[in-house]
């Protein structure tokens, strides 16, 4: 909805996390996981698809073999913690 004075509202950058069923690696933690696209599928997802056939086939679990699991730093569970040290497991 446009403002009453006819001016455009500033743009708002947003994002969504699309999920799918878990793969073998993530299933022990949760029954859903984010959809992870292969680089070869980026353009198809973002630009080049037929509206009559949307790229729903890309909404599948990523192959477990292409992922690895490492323990998270316990400080990750506190929203007050932020920084590169969060990448180090503790």
């Amino acid at each position: 909805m446009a403002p009453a004075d006819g001016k455009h509202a500033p743009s708002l950058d947003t994002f969504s996390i699309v999920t799918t069923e878990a793969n073998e690696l993530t299933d022990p933690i949760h029954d859903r996981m984010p959809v992870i696209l292969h680089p070869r599928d980026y353009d198809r997802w973002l630009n080049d698809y037929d509206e009559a056939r949307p790229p729903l086939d890309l909404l599948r679990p990523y192959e477990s073999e292409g992922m690895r699991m490492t323990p998270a730093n316990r400080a990750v569970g506190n929203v007050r913690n932020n920084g590169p040290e969060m990448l180090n497991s503790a």
Side-chain angles (χ1 to χ4, degrees), residues 65-85:
E65 301 78 29
M67 300 174 67
R68 66 184 169 116
M69 187 181 302
T70 58
N73 186 320
R74 291 191 177 277
V76 169
N78 186 327
V79 297
R80 290 175 282 173
N81 297 327
N82 188 17
E85 64 277 3

Side-chain angles (χ1 to χ4, degrees), residues 4-89:
D5 62 9
K7 295 182 181 177
H8 294 286
S11 65
L12 176 65
D13 292 330
T14 64
F15 70 93
S16 296
I17 297 176
V18 179
T19 62
T20 188
E21 62 186 291
N23 64 18
E24 297 84 13
L25 183 68
T26 60
D27 186 58
I29 297 169
H30 200 278
D31 64 343
R32 309 286 297 161
M33 67 178 287
V35 170
I36 302 170
L37 297 177
H38 290 278
R40 67 177 179 260
D41 296 323
Y42 294 170
D43 191 54
R44 181 167 170 235
W45 179 259
L46 294 171
N47 304 310
D48 189 28
Y49 70 89
D50 178 1
E51 288 189 22
R53 190 183 149 268
L56 298 177
D57 59 297
L58 300 179
L59 303 179
R60 63 184 180 275
Y62 196 82
E63 299 83 8
S64 297
E65 301 78 29
M67 300 174 67
R68 66 184 169 116
M69 187 181 302
T70 58
N73 186 320
R74 291 191 177 277
V76 169
N78 186 327
V79 297
R80 290 175 282 173
N81 297 327
N82 188 17
E85 64 277 3
M86 297 294 101
L87 298 175
N88 301 325
S89 60

